[in-house]
């Protein structure tokens, strides 16, 4: 059980079966831009119980510029024409989660992730046996420039979205979201 909020300044590598729960926040450090969790093959990470994983960047969108661009050019190609990162906050260079084992997100919120180059929230890479299960989870206020916005799942891997899961109030550009 997580008993207080924590700041992550390096990657946590999961090699066994780990459950983290509690109504607290795990936030990416302003000086760290890499992956927050790596779930190795054969390992299981379960995040549960109103836990928040925060990318550490409460970015903003200039809606006037964005809608003007869409009205005149029909397609956004770079979110950084419209998205401004929070002063001093990290712009992620990697996914929040890299999964070759199993990841269960139960009533967890993933938020405030800002990335360039298509590094969304969860990737299974080329791991065909990886599994990501979301039950009552929320992905909100995340912005990714490029494809692979939320979860990038390789052929053969599994992504299950169960009832109560919400993906909302996010922003993506480039090749897709």
């Amino acid at each position: 059980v997580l008993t207080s909020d924590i700041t992550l300044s390096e990657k946590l590598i999961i090699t066994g079966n780990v459950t983290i729960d509690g109504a607290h926040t795990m936030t990416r450090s302003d000086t760290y831009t890499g992956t927050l969790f790596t779930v190795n093959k054969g390992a299981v990470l379960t995040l549960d119980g109103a836990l928040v994983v925060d990318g550490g960047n409460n970015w903003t969108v200039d809606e006037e510029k964005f809608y003007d661009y869409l009205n005149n050019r029909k397609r956004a190609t770079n979110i950084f024409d419209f998205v401004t990162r929070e002063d001093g906050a990290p712009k992620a260079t990697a996914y929040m989660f890299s999964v070759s084992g199993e990841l269960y997100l139960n009533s967890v919120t993933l938020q405030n992730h800002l990335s360039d180059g298509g590094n969304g929230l969860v990737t299974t890479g080329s791991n065909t046996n990886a599994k990501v299960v979301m039950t009552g989870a929320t992905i909100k206020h995340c912005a990714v420039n490029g494809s692979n916005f939320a979860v990038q799942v390789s052929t053969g891997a599994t992504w299950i979205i169960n009832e109560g899961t919400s993906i909302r109030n996010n922003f993506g550009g480039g090749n897709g979201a």
Side-chain angles (χ1 to χ4, degrees):
V1 174
L2 192 62
T3 58
S4 65
D5 294 347
I6 62 170
T7 300
L8 300 172
S9 57
E10 64 184 318
K11 174 177 22 181
L12 298 176
I13 300 172
I14 309 301
T15 59
N17 295 343
V18 175
T19 298
I20 302 172
D21 64 7
H24 291 284
T25 301
M26 296 185 289
T27 304
R28 180 191 310 269
S29 160
D30 286 349
T31 60
Y32 182 65
T33 62
T35 299
L36 296 178
F37 295 89
T38 294
V39 183
N40 287 344
K41 186 176 182 178
V44 177
L45 174 60
T46 303
L47 300 181
D48 202 355
L51 192 65
V52 174
V53 180
D54 191 302
N57 197 319
N58 192 16
W59 51 270
T60 58
V61 173
D62 183 327
E63 291 184 19
E64 185 175 324
K65 279 184 181 178
F66 175 63
Y67 289 115
D68 181 57
Y69 186 87
L70 287 180
N71 289 333
N72 292 310
R73 296 196 179 109
K74 306 292 187 217
R75 182 174 178 175
T77 58
N78 186 335
I79 67 167
F80 296 105
D81 292 338
F82 321 108
V83 172
T84 303
R85 93 178 189 185
E86 180 182 17
D87 278 347
K91 182 165 73 170
T93 59
Y95 288 86
M96 275 187 172
F97 297 87
S98 178
V99 181
S100 56
E102 297 180 22
L103 173 63
Y104 295 87
L105 301 169
N106 304 323
S107 302
V108 171
T109 298
L110 308 180
Q111 67 182 22
N112 296 335
H113 180 76
L114 176 66
S115 174
D116 199 2
N119 298 309
L121 297 166
V122 181
T123 183
T124 63
S126 61
N127 300 293
T128 58
N129 294 318
K131 184 176 187 178
V132 177
V133 179
M134 300 173 70
T135 304
T138 299
I139 295 175
K140 68 178 187 175
H141 199 70
C142 296
V144 174
N145 192 47
S147 58
N148 301 326
F149 170 74
V151 178
Q152 179 272 324
V153 179
S154 58
T155 301
T158 304
W159 180 21
I160 299 171
I161 303 173
N162 289 318
E163 187 172 343
T165 296
S166 171
I167 300 174
R168 59 182 162 74
N169 301 327
N170 299 291
F171 195 83
N175 295 329

